[in-house]
Amino acid sequence: MALRNILTDGEPTLMKTARPVTRFDHRLHDLLDDLADTMEEANGVGLAAPQVGVLRRVAVVCDGEEVIELVNPEIIAQSGEQSGPEGCLSVPGRYGIVTRPNVVRVRAQDREGHWFEVEGEELLARGFCHELEHLDGHLYTERVERYLTDEEIEEMMREEQ
Ligand code: NI
């Protein structure tokens, strides 16, 4: 297990477009393992490679039980709408209301290069959208309708326990 340093808002790497993965080798496997470890250590539900300084199209998203590994992911279908609080490990301590599709279908490669499709609803759909935007150099803060107050954040944390 290896933890990587998470870049925070203001780092130029977070604003850059990540390159596609072409080699499904041990370096990719190490990156995926480290992303999952780093995400879990930080109590996050998703983490993208640019957030640890690697400009490759790789992300992990937790569906509540398992870690979904996404290599070269793209959204191929989306429907509905949801509005709710969103946070980011690169923007510590802040949460903002963001509107996202309610259902998202993603096509991606796994760590061996095999293509697969996965569908997410609600929180998982939000996670897919959020992490895929990191691969194009965008943060959720660009979409925030309003930030939560400290009282609202405390209430949200209580509800999650
Ligand atoms: Ni994020």
Side-chain angles (χ1 to χ4, degrees):
M1 161 164 163
L3 298 178
R4 302 211 187 184
N5 187 37
I6 299 176
L7 303 181
T8 52
D9 196 7
E11 293 272 359
T13 302
L14 291 174
M15 317 292 283
K16 291 180 180 162
T17 301
R19 296 182 301 276
V21 170
T22 54
R23 295 170 68 173
F24 295 81
D25 57 8
H26 69 92
R27 288 191 62 191
L28 173 68
H29 299 171
D30 287 348
L31 173 63
L32 283 162
D33 290 342
D34 291 355
L35 282 173
D37 290 342
T38 305
M39 172 182 75
E40 282 164 9
E41 177 73 15
N43 290 317
V45 291
L47 191 62
Q51 293 181 273
V52 299
V54 178
L55 282 171
R56 289 291 178 181
R57 303 190 77 80
V58 177
V60 294
V61 179
C62 187
D63 72 358
E65 289 177 4
E66 291 189 337
V67 175
I68 301 170
E69 298 179 343
L70 303 170
V71 179
N72 298 328
E74 50 190 300
I75 290 172
I76 55 171
Q78 59 184 59
S79 62
E81 195 176 270
Q82 59 172 318
S83 191
E86 197 162 316
C88 178
L89 293 177
S90 293
V91 189
R94 302 186 79 180
Y95 296 88
I97 301 295
V98 181
T99 299
R100 299 284 193 185
N102 197 47
V103 181
V104 167
R105 190 162 189 85
V106 172
R107 180 173 184 263
Q109 283 168 288
D110 67 15
R111 60 168 59 206
E112 307 300 337
H114 302 120
W115 288 97
F116 67 98
E117 292 184 10
V118 57
E119 192 168 272
E121 271 186 59
E122 297 175 1
L123 278 180
L124 187 54
R126 180 177 292 284
F128 287 151
C129 294
H130 179 114
E131 299 313 324
L132 266 64
E133 281 183 355
H134 274 300
L135 306 182
D136 289 318
H138 294 291
L139 296 179
Y140 86 97
T141 52
E142 297 165 43
R143 296 177 173 273
V144 165
E145 291 147 35
R146 69 170 183 87
Y147 285 98
L148 299 195
T149 64
D150 290 345
E151 290 74 24
E152 286 173 317
I153 292 173
E154 277 175 35
E155 191 179 334
M156 185 177 69
M157 296 301 174
R158 273 200 302 272
E159 281 170 7
E160 277 176 10
Q161 281 168 5

